[in-house]
């Protein structure tokens, strides 16, 4: 990006502090900003009136999200909730579209984001339909460490077994069993309130 592109991007971004459990954005609201996580961890999810909750993915430091809603000019289709105190960059809609209209590098970044996210969700859908539960947990955890979508995440992530269950679509009790198996196999270690990944490539290949 040119110096002018960077200047406009910086001028078009404000920061927000979102406390644990707070909403970065709400389902149904206008997509007025493109968001990036500077520090912390959030989850993309959807809560239904029936009481059912589906979590789609986690978003760690360095991850951006919401470009689809910005491009389609439609209300957001999901909530994003902070799993711990999280600092968020919010790029104004006008700045986002100015960069789309004027910056080829920014366009390439957005295309890469969309392509990688599509691949991520196809992979998770494949895991849900074809793999056993232990493999689904392994692939769900590996998705949190995506090198393009989550460039700032470290080997240890603060996340509860309940949240992993939401992401994998299984119970917390079954997550506990799967984590014990993955730990016995040397792919990760579990600590209170978090997980440390020891073999990321192994998690990505687990079960198939």
């Amino acid at each position: 990006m040119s110096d002018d592109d960077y200047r406009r991007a910086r001028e078009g971004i404000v920061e927000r502090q979102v406390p644990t459990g707070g909403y970065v954005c709400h389902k149904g609201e206008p997509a007025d900003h493109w968001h990036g996580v500077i520090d912390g961890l959030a989850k993309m999810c959807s809560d239904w009136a029936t009481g059912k909750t589906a979590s789609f993915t986690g978003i760690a430091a360095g991850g951006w999200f919401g470009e689809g809603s910005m491009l389609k000019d439609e209300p957001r289709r999901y909530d994003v909730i902070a799993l711990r105190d999280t600092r968020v960059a919010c790029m104004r809609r006008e700045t986002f579209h100015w960069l789309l209209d004027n910056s080829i590098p920014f366009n390439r970044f957005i295309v890469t984001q969309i392509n990688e996210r599509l691949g991520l969700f196809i992979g998770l859908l494949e895991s849900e339909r074809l793999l056993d539960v232990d493999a689904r947990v392994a692939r769900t955890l590996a998705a949190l460490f995506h090198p393009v979508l989550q460039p700032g995440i470290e080997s240890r992530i603060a996340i509860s077994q309940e949240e992993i269950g939401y992401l994998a679509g299984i119970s917390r009790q079954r997550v506990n069993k799967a984590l014990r198996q993955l730990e016995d196999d040397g792919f990760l270690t579990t600590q209170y309130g978090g997980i440390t990944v020891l073999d990321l490539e192994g998690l990505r290949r687990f079960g198939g």
Side-chain angles (χ1 to χ4, degrees):
M1 292 173 63
S2 69
D3 290 342
D4 186 46
D5 294 344
Y6 276 117
R7 179 184 60 79
R8 284 179 176 266
R10 288 194 299 269
E11 291 175 351
I13 291 176
V14 296
E15 291 187 16
R16 285 178 56 207
Q17 286 289 145
V18 183
T20 302
Y23 282 80
V24 178
C25 56
H26 288 269
K27 180 178 180 179
E29 70 181 7
D32 294 331
H33 293 87
W34 185 47
H35 294 94
V37 173
I38 301 170
D39 182 61
L41 180 68
K43 68 169 181 175
M44 185 182 294
C45 61
S46 182
D47 295 325
W48 290 68
T50 59
K52 292 183 178 180
T53 297
S55 294
F56 305 125
T57 189
I59 307 145
W64 289 83
F65 61 92
E67 56 277 351
S69 296
M70 299 287 279
L71 291 169
K72 289 181 285 188
D73 191 20
E74 66 178 18
R76 296 193 189 278
R77 297 188 175 184
Y78 49 81
D79 298 312
V80 177
I81 301 173
L83 296 179
R84 59 175 182 261
D85 291 351
T86 298
R87 187 158 59 107
V88 181
C90 309
M91 178 181 285
R92 290 195 296 268
R93 183 177 191 85
E94 295 79 8
T95 302
F96 179 89
H97 281 281
W98 187 92
L99 290 169
L100 278 181
D101 291 340
N102 293 277
S103 173
I104 292 176
F106 185 77
N107 275 268
R108 288 174 176 163
F109 180 83
I110 294 298
V111 169
T112 298
Q113 282 278 114
I114 292 172
N115 186 53
E116 294 289 344
R117 203 181 309 281
L118 176 62
L120 171 68
F121 285 133
I122 288 175
L124 291 175
L125 180 61
E126 178 186 50
S127 299
E128 181 180 346
R129 294 188 175 181
L130 300 179
L131 300 180
D132 64 23
V133 174
D134 289 348
R136 283 164 56 188
V137 171
R139 302 293 180 91
T140 296
L141 289 172
L144 296 174
F145 295 85
H146 194 289
V148 176
L149 298 175
Q150 315 278 22
I153 198 167
E154 299 177 350
S155 60
R156 185 185 188 280
I157 184 171
I159 189 170
S160 70
Q161 292 184 7
E162 184 178 22
E163 290 296 339
I164 296 171
Y166 284 144
L167 292 171
I170 60 176
S171 69
R172 185 197 63 77
Q173 292 80 5
R174 188 60 183 86
V175 168
N176 182 269
K177 182 179 178 180
L179 290 177
R180 290 201 307 269
Q181 182 62 56
L182 293 171
E183 187 167 23
D184 289 345
D185 291 342
F187 294 106
L188 53 82
T189 60
T190 59
Q191 307 89 27
Y192 177 76
I195 292 168
T196 299
V197 172
L198 304 176
D199 183 359
L200 180 56
E201 286 303 318
L203 289 178
R204 288 173 176 155
R205 297 191 302 268
F206 190 89

